[in-house]
Every structure is written in C-alpha cells, then in structure tokens.
Amino acid sequence: MKIDLTGTTAGAINKALVQGRRAIGTPAVGMVLTLVIVTDEENAYDALKAANDASREHPSRTLVVIKRVSRSPRDRTTSRLDAEVRVGAEAGTGETVVLRLYGEVADHADSVVLPLLLPDAPVVVWWPVNAPLDPAKDPLGALAQRRVTDTYAAEQPVRELSARADAYTPGDTDLSWTRITPWRSMLAAALDQVVCDVKAVEVEGEEFNPSCELLAMWLADRLDVPVKRSLSSGPGLTAVRMDTNCGAIVLDRADGSLANLAIEGQPARAVALKRRDTAELIAEELRRLDPDDTYASALRYGVDRLASGAEPAAPEPVTEPEAQAAEAPAKKAAAKKAPAKKAAAK
C-alpha cells in the first residue's frame, strides 16, 4: 500500500502510517530499529531496494531523506515537504517513508526526521553517497547510535580514509570495511591451522579500492609486520600472500566468487568467497550496534601508514609568463639554425 502526501507535515505522515497499518491488518508495530537513508534522487532506488531486502532480517522503519535542489531563487525561499508512505509488500517487512525536502527545510532535515523515529528503538543512519567528513557531527548523524558510510563511493577513497580516521567517533563504520569480513575470517582461520610466525604480507587488489587498503591496515595492525600493497586488474581484492617461517600462505581469488587457499604442507582447497551485494552488507551492519573497535584500530593505523607512502603530488600549473620564459631559449636556438638550413638548401 502506498500513500502520497504533498506539502505535508510529520504529524500527517504519522497518521498515514497508522492508517496504512490498519488497512493491511497489522496495527501493531513489530520493528526493531529506525534506518535513516540520506541520499540523492539518482541513488535512492538502489539504496531503498537494498534496505528493503535487509529488512527481511531486520524489520525496521526506513526513512529515506532526499534533499531536492531548488533551481530558482524563488524556489529556494519556498519550503515544502513531500512524502511517500509505503506499508505492506511494497516496504519489505517494515515501513518506508520517502521524504523529499525542498527549500529551507532541506537544511533542517533532522527536525523532520526526529518525530518519525520509532520510540525506544536504536537509530542507524546510512549515507550511500556524499557522506559528511564527520558523520557524528552531522545533524542527522547525531541522532544515531550507528553511522554507516561507504568510502568506495568517494572520488578519492584513500584520502577519504585518512579523513575518516581523523574524525572517527565510536559508532562510525564503513561498508568498505564490511566487504572484507569474509577475507578477515578466512585469513584468521588459515593462521589458526599453523604454528608459524608471519614475516611479511602482500595484499593485491584493484587500484582506488578502499577495501584493499583497509585489509592491509588491519593485517599490519594485528600482525605488526610489513605489508605491501600491490595492484591488479580486479575485481576488488584478488589475493593475499603471507610469508611465514613455515612457508607461504596464499588466498587467491581471481574471478570474484571462488578463491583458492594454499598453505605450505597442506593440499590446496577451493573456498567460497563471493563478492556480496549492498543488501547483504547493510544487513551485516545492522546486526551489531556497538562500536567496532577493530575497525577503529585498523583505520587509525592506516593514517600513519598512508602518510609514509603518500601519493605523488600533482604537478603545479605553469603560468603564462613562466611558459614564455621557458620557450624563449628554444626559439632563439631555432632562429640560429634557420640561416644554416637556408645556406645548405642553396
């Protein structure tokens, strides 16, 4: 069931939710949390689909906040709130409210969301794209116990990780970290099978993939050994090689779904290590609402590691006078060669 409300208020939205529940015959509220998704119109469909799939495991009230861009000065001075209330089959196993904010009300999204939160239930805020540099200080992030970002969607993921480390607050997490959970589990299980000391590690993956960087940070932080980051064509993470005093341990995944685990002295075996979709990732994050200390430790270690291997600086732009000064010697040399060429031609 879907109810459209134009130029509405938070009170009218709450009434529509009650009306919708009664219409489908489920007047009781059986949801465990409120999930607030802050996104734009372009990415709203994919984010909402992932949240609906995740709601089968975590029934929740999902509030989608979309700040609409006003195209004219007159529109920017006009505040309006439109809402789309979904209950029943169209909202997974919970309730969904799509909020579109226009004008000045877009700068006060927290005042719109606050009356719609489930009472006495935890709040999770998720930014699929365009996450703030300090989620805990964002007005919407301040309402939540858990704040989920995704550095994979950033323009410069490696620098974004450094910013995340500087602004980290307990409760922050990132889907790029969630993506490497199976890798961390598999590598920890492999080390449990041997009694060896790890001397060095190499993490191989595609360029500009923050999950590869986070895995390298985690291994360097936990094992206290040098970790080399090498590049491949992907997809995503492709291999981890650990050099131990008992031989090499290699976890290699070339196709994005099936990996090969090789431990010195044991037969190689295939292990399932498929790339997971967003619905699985967000469902995993909703399972725990306490601070992730392991993520925090790896993230903070990475700041120092990235600083020691900083990216090359972009060349400084050359001004027009400097360019003319650089070209002058070349022009003089060409002028001197010209008479010699004419004499040779005669």
Side-chain angles (χ1 to χ4, degrees):
M1 180 178 181
K2 185 162 66 171
I3 303 172
D4 290 324
L5 303 171
T6 303
T8 188
T9 62
I13 295 171
N14 271 318
K15 289 180 181 177
L17 286 168
V18 175
Q19 175 189 344
R21 286 198 300 269
R22 287 176 177 170
I24 63 173
T26 56
V29 178
M31 288 158 286
V32 297
L33 59 89
T34 303
L35 174 62
V36 182
I37 305 174
V38 187
T39 185
D40 53 21
E41 201 72 63
E42 180 183 357
N43 296 280
Y45 175 82
D46 291 335
L48 188 52
K49 184 178 183 301
N52 286 344
D53 291 343
S55 71
R56 294 187 176 90
E57 184 176 342
H58 309 279
S60 59
R61 174 176 290 179
T62 303
L63 307 177
V64 184
V65 179
I66 302 173
K67 300 178 182 180
R68 297 298 298 267
V69 177
S70 301
R71 296 198 171 110
S72 68
R74 181 180 296 174
D75 290 341
R76 283 193 283 273
T77 60
T78 304
S79 297
R80 192 175 92 236
L81 170 63
D82 293 346
E84 190 178 304
V85 178
R86 304 178 185 178
V87 292
E90 294 192 19
T93 59
E95 300 172 342
T96 299
V97 182
V98 181
L99 304 167
R100 290 183 172 86
L101 284 61
Y102 299 81
E104 294 181 358
V105 73
D107 298 327
H108 305 281
D110 54 318
S111 63
V112 176
V113 168
L114 188 59
L116 301 176
L117 301 178
L118 289 172
D120 302 322
V123 179
V124 178
V125 178
W126 172 32
W127 291 269
V129 293
N130 302 324
L133 289 179
D134 192 344
K137 291 186 178 178
D138 183 84
L140 286 172
L143 301 174
Q145 288 78 32
R146 193 82 162 158
R147 295 164 293 276
V148 185
T149 58
D150 192 354
T151 51
Y152 190 79
E155 269 189 53
Q156 297 178 319
V158 175
R159 293 185 183 180
E160 191 84 2
L161 287 175
S162 300
R164 289 276 175 267
D166 293 336
Y168 176 80
T169 302
D172 292 353
T173 191
D174 197 287
L175 292 187
S176 295
W177 172 255
T178 316
R179 289 184 181 96
I180 62 173
T181 299
W183 283 84
R184 293 190 294 120
S185 301
M186 198 65 64
L187 292 170
L191 288 175
D192 284 342
Q193 299 178 38
V194 296
V195 184
C196 302
D197 293 329
V198 180
K199 299 184 290 184
V201 179
E202 180 182 1
V203 176
E204 180 185 276
E206 62 185 0
E207 194 175 6
F208 306 122
N209 189 314
S211 295
C212 302
E213 302 292 338
L214 282 168
L215 184 62
M217 297 173 196
W218 174 70
L219 288 167
D221 180 47
R222 305 303 293 178
L223 298 175
D224 193 22
V225 297
V227 177
K228 177 184 176 183
R229 170 79 166 88
S230 58
L231 302 180
S232 71
S233 57
L237 269 162
T238 51
V240 174
R241 301 176 183 88
M242 294 189 287
D243 182 19
T244 75
N245 55 4
C246 303
I249 298 175
V250 181
L251 183 59
D252 190 354
R253 185 189 68 178
D255 61 355
S257 60
L258 194 65
N260 186 67
L261 177 62
I263 301 176
E264 188 74 21
Q266 299 182 17
R269 52 188 179 274
V271 293
L273 205 62
K274 74 179 183 71
R275 303 188 76 194
R276 299 181 294 168
D277 59 22
T278 308
E280 293 179 80
L281 300 176
I282 198 67
E284 179 183 328
E285 283 302 329
L286 295 179
R287 287 183 201 128
R288 59 174 302 173
L289 299 175
D290 58 316
D292 191 340
D293 296 332
T294 306
Y295 166 69
S297 180
L299 191 64
R300 286 171 177 153
Y301 179 93
V303 174
D304 297 333
R305 192 184 72 83
L306 291 174
S308 63
E311 299 172 355
E316 296 183 2
V318 180
T319 61
E320 189 173 345
E322 290 174 346
Q324 291 175 355
E327 291 175 0
K331 289 181 178 178
K332 289 180 181 178
K336 288 180 181 178
K337 291 180 181 179
K341 287 183 180 179
K342 290 181 180 178
K346 289 179 180 178

